[in-house]
Amino acid sequence: MVAGIGTDNRDRQAGWVCAYTPLEILLAAGLEPVRLFGSPGGTEDADAALNPNICPYVRACLQQGLDGRAPAAMVFAGCCDGIRRLYDAWSYCCQADFTFLMDVPRASLGGSAAMYNNSVGRLASALEGYTGREITARGLRKAIGARREVDGILTGFSEAMVRGYDPPGEESLRIYTDAQELPPADFISRYSSRGWGDGVAGGRSNGKPVVITGNLLASGALLEMIGDCGGSVAALDLCSAGRFPALTPDTGEAEPYPADRNGLLSYLARAYMSRTPCPRMLESTERHAHVLKLVIDSGARGVIYVPLMFCDSFLYDLPRLKDKVDAAGIPGLVLVSDYRDDNEGQMRTRVEAFMEML
Amino acid sequence: MALTDELVERFKASISPELMRSRWPWLVALALSRSPMDRPSLRADRVSSRFMLESTRDAYLGRRPVVWSSLLFPSELIHGTGNIAFFPEIAAAKAASVGLSRRFLDAAEAAGFSQDLCSFHRVLIGAATEDLLPHPDLLVSSSQPCDSSPLSFEFLADYYGVEHLTADVPNENSSVGELEILAGELRRVALALDSLDGATGGNTGGLEERMRDAVELSNRARRFALEVERERKRVPSPLDGWNAMGHLAVLAMMPGTRAGASFYAALAGELKDDAYAGLPGKEKHRLLWMHLKPYFPSELETFLHEKGAVIVCEEYNRCFWGEMDPDRPFDSLAAKAAGHFSAGTAERRAAEMVRLAEEYEVDGAVHFSHRGCRQSCGSAQQVREELARVGVRTLILDGECLDPREHRDGQIRTRLEAFLETLDNPQTVGSAP
């Protein structure tokens, strides 16, 4: 689960935990952005430092930091109370050379966008201070180019899944995880020549297609289970999967951003604020429409909701989203996740029953 | 069950949307609040009770546009634009205090809201789905102190089919640029509020002028509130914090009104008055109380009194902002919003608690860790360690503010008792049990 992080490259990496972190700035500062997925075992130390009622992903990440298995620099996009408290605990308890907390507003327009823009600018300045390396327009353009290529590959993969490409469960999660853990060049060399079929070549198995929506999964166990129970995952609407790409893919047309440093930073701020919204954002209509579109486009017969336990952002949104999906005649199954997958038996029973019902 | 208890239960069961929107219960409630039968321990409480009753009545009867506000959104904007401010989180606490929270929690859970969410917001959502709250014309929220307000308000705005405006308060109040952005957002909200029906409360001036008046009234309230805080630093303390936590409703709802200034003036005068009897019993321990308390009936208040433990300062019930400039109302209100310790890091909160502990000369602190509150519970440990550095022991007390099903009175009493015993023994070093 911490595959991308090693003691030999800890100093040149920058850890991040929320998809509203503009990774291109980290790259332009000469750092390798690596998403934390948390320590796989128990979180007793983190529970004591935070509180057991905090999101289990946050606690797993803190445990990783307390175990000394995290990058020396950490950037926290302050998107929720859990991550803000993670920043606090990290600064207080972990051995970090650099920590930064970004303001992430809840709306993408008006003053909120300006606030995020300011926050992006402050992050760039702070990283320059930490690395001693100037973030130049050239560096930003190179980073944006690389990330657009990564996001393009991921978008192609997600679209292929919706059309019917049906990789084994673990494999479908792996590509997204690699995009968040590997340097862009490594990711591109690994995946750029891979084909996902045209919706026929991979072909959906005979499984019943379902859309998964939630935060992030600790492993591919649920996806494997869905396959075992006669299902087929048509879309992974997770912040660590289908919602992860932030930049529009390169279509060979003129670059959609200006040439100067401030213009590039503003471009990134706009791109991240206007990405497919997370439930924390107030653009719920857009988010609900996005989930419904995934259902319709893929012909999904059901939706599996996988909120993380104690995730206020998802749990407040869930009743409305589910009502809308139910109203479209699509049944749903709610599986609240403790980010450990240690209740496999119970989960399998519920998934089996849901698949049979479909 | 005693006859009076049964009557109360029958009345609670009879509460319906029609009843809440009829005049007579409000006539009765206001008459009772003016009668000699209603004798609050503090005369100032009459001022706040009357304001809140009249304001809530007007909201239910739809006498002016109703604006729902989250706890820390600057109330001056709502009063300055002549609208009725309704604070549903405060209403939720009130519902719990009269034993209604369980009914609304059940309703929220039936609507699909997880028991892991904050019970303040589950109660208000449940009450809304039973149509027992005044209908809003607009909802306004701020991003501090926690995620729950903007998130639950987003559901409620959709539910009522009205707009929800939220102000993102920056985490670092040192950035002038971000405060300017926030001031601009508050002006945008004020314009939306002002467009609801143009009610001006007798002031026919423009928006700037009315906001200036509201800020001046808020400044007046603040000056008296600081006098109250000065009085409360006395040893022994003249005011019991368990009840004073109810004044958080005043602090949230009433700045920007004449009644707000009158309340704090009356309270300051009362505490200074030689005739004021103060608290009965001996003050054995002076406590700082962090976060909030159980609002449903419990024996904890009596227990603390019996042990001579007096809450002399409450984290939330304090004037947290500076004097405002009435000529720059939006800049001032932006600074006020960002001035709250919750708009920032745990380091800021801990420093604030250390300052309070020292100023109020407390010998112990209690962090009431409300089950659904991530922002507060998540920094409790850090706050405890910082207080320990200045010799103040802290008890982290896991509990529930509004959900009586999750409350364990005996367990809490046992932990409090053990904690108070450690305060009796100053030789004991280290953290609390």
Side-chain angles (χ1 to χ4, degrees), chain A residues 81 84 92 103 106 282 312, chain B residues 147-148 154 171 346 374 386:
Chain A
D81 288 331
R84 284 188 286 273
Y92 201 68
D103 281 315
R106 290 184 183 278
L282 297 185
D312 290 340
Chain B
D147 290 339
S148 285
E154 189 67 0
N171 274 310
R374 328 290 172 213
E386 290 305 308

Side-chain angles (χ1 to χ4, degrees), chain A residues 139-227:
Chain A
L140 282 169
R141 289 167 66 86
K142 187 179 169 199
I144 290 170
R147 292 295 322 170
R148 287 182 83 196
E149 199 168 343
V150 170
D151 287 357
I153 292 169
L154 291 178
T155 303
F157 179 78
S158 298
E159 288 172 354
M161 279 182 76
V162 168
R163 287 197 307 270
Y165 179 63
D166 190 16
E170 185 70 41
E171 193 182 313
S172 62
L173 201 58
R174 186 72 254 163
I175 180 174
Y176 295 112
T177 308
D178 281 350
Q180 293 161 81
E181 287 186 333
L182 297 176
D186 293 356
F187 177 85
I188 291 163
S189 73
R190 186 177 293 183
Y191 288 101
S192 64
S193 58
R194 295 233 191 138
W196 319 120
D198 54 6
V200 179
R204 193 174 307 285
S205 66
N206 292 326
K208 300 163 188 167
V210 291
V211 167
I212 310 278
T213 182
N215 315 89
L216 66 178
L217 298 172
S219 73
L222 172 66
L223 309 183
E224 300 284 353
M225 197 180 291
I226 289 168

Side-chain angles (χ1 to χ4, degrees), chain A residues 6 45 50 92 106 124 138 153 171 180 189 194 199 208 221 237 280 282 291 298 318 327 334 345 351 357:
Chain A
D45 300 334
L50 284 167
Y92 201 68
R106 290 184 183 278
R138 187 164 175 269
I153 292 169
E171 193 182 313
Q180 293 161 81
S189 73
R194 295 233 191 138
K208 300 163 188 167
D237 177 52
R280 74 169 297 277
L282 297 185
V291 174
S298 66
L318 180 59
V334 179
V351 171
M357 187 265 287

Side-chain angles (χ1 to χ4, degrees), chain B residues 38-46 239-240 243-244 247 267 270 276-279 301:
Chain B
D38 183 50
R39 281 180 294 183
S41 57
L42 292 163
R43 291 192 304 275
D45 285 339
R46 279 184 180 273
L239 195 60
D240 166 36
N243 285 327
H247 297 162
L267 184 56
E270 207 164 344
Y276 174 64
L279 292 176
E301 180 186 3

Side-chain angles (χ1 to χ4, degrees), chain A residues 239-261:
Chain A
C239 72
S240 60
R243 289 202 308 272
F244 169 64
L247 304 184
T248 51
D250 188 351
T251 56
E253 295 171 5
E255 290 170 342
Y257 38 83
D260 65 299
R261 180 183 186 274

Side-chain angles (χ1 to χ4, degrees), chain A residues 48-51 53-55 78-82 84-85 87-89 92 100-107 109-112 114-115 118-119 122 279-285 288 309-320 323-324 336, chain B residues 111-114 116-118 121-122 125 143 145-148 150-152 154-155 158 164 166 168-172 175 177-178 181-182 185 188 342 344-347 369-382 385-386 389 398:
Chain A
L50 284 167
N51 185 288
N53 288 340
I54 299 268
C55 152
C79 68
C80 64
D81 288 331
R84 284 188 286 273
R85 295 296 80 91
Y87 164 82
D88 290 330
Y92 201 68
F100 189 88
L101 178 65
M102 295 182 72
D103 281 315
V104 186
R106 290 184 183 278
L109 299 171
S112 294
M115 187 174 286
N118 269 15
S119 196
R122 285 196 291 112
R280 74 169 297 277
M281 300 297 278
L282 297 185
E283 280 114 10
S284 50
T285 308
H288 298 163
M309 195 180 279
F310 309 125
C311 172
D312 290 340
S313 299
F314 203 99
L315 292 174
Y316 277 111
D317 184 55
L318 180 59
R320 273 191 308 157
D323 279 353
K324 288 180 184 173
V336 178
Chain B
F113 288 90
S114 164
D116 289 335
L117 294 169
C118 170
H121 292 269
R122 278 185 287 140
I125 286 170
S143 58
C146 65
D147 290 339
S148 285
L151 293 169
S152 73
E154 189 67 0
F155 165 80
D158 201 21
H164 168 212
T166 194
D168 284 299
V169 178
N171 274 310
E172 296 176 29
S175 165
E178 276 151 12
I181 292 168
L182 177 58
E185 288 297 284
R188 189 171 67 89
S342 63
T345 60
E347 190 180 356
S369 290
H370 172 51
R371 202 174 64 95
C373 182
R374 328 290 172 213
Q375 69 88 13
S376 175
C377 297
S379 56
Q381 193 62 36
Q382 193 169 330
E385 287 179 22
E386 290 305 308
R389 285 184 209 276
D398 292 332

Side-chain angles (χ1 to χ4, degrees), chain B residues 169-378:
Chain B
V169 178
N171 274 310
E172 296 176 29
N173 66 348
S174 56
S175 165
V176 175
E178 276 151 12
L179 281 184
E180 281 174 358
I181 292 168
L182 177 58
E185 288 297 284
L186 294 181
R187 179 187 287 277
R188 189 171 67 89
V189 174
L191 288 169
L193 290 166
D194 209 32
S195 70
L196 285 177
D197 83 338
T200 57
N203 186 333
T204 55
L207 176 63
E208 297 281 342
E209 189 182 327
R210 282 179 280 126
M211 289 312 306
R212 182 190 158 83
D213 286 354
V215 167
E216 275 184 349
L217 284 170
S218 184
N219 275 342
R220 200 184 303 170
R222 177 182 171 276
R223 286 192 284 271
F224 287 120
L226 292 178
E227 283 185 29
V228 170
E229 289 179 14
R230 274 195 292 277
E231 292 302 315
R232 292 193 65 189
K233 287 174 188 166
R234 289 196 328 239
V235 181
S237 172
L239 195 60
D240 166 36
W242 189 270
N243 285 327
M245 260 184 266
H247 297 162
L248 173 58
V250 180
L251 196 76
M253 283 178 75
M254 293 171 63
T257 64
R258 289 184 196 287
S262 300
F263 169 83
Y264 283 111
L267 184 56
E270 207 164 344
L271 297 185
K272 286 182 202 169
D273 190 342
D274 291 339
Y276 174 64
L279 292 176
K282 189 172 174 238
E283 179 180 287
K284 195 172 171 191
H285 299 296
R286 293 171 66 82
L287 298 180
L288 162 65
W289 191 276
M290 288 174 277
H291 198 255
L292 300 168
K293 63 173 183 176
Y295 284 87
F296 41 79
S298 88
E299 301 296 322
L300 293 180
E301 180 186 3
T302 311
F303 173 76
L304 287 170
H305 286 174
E306 285 170 0
K307 295 290 176 185
V310 178
I311 298 167
V312 297
C313 178
E314 310 85 50
E315 178 182 30
Y316 268 88
N317 181 31
R318 295 177 298 109
C319 213
F320 58 86
W321 66 96
E323 179 86 1
M324 294 188 282
D325 181 353
D327 291 326
R328 300 175 62 205
F330 300 110
D331 291 335
S332 298
L333 292 170
K336 178 187 174 186
H340 196 267
F341 67 85
S342 63
T345 60
E347 190 180 356
R348 179 182 188 184
R349 181 187 185 203
E352 186 77 355
M353 294 307 104
V354 166
R355 183 183 69 77
L356 289 176
E358 290 177 336
E359 284 185 9
Y360 283 81
E361 298 177 55
V362 305
D363 49 350
V366 176
H367 188 287
F368 189 76
S369 290
H370 172 51
R371 202 174 64 95
C373 182
R374 328 290 172 213
Q375 69 88 13
S376 175
C377 297

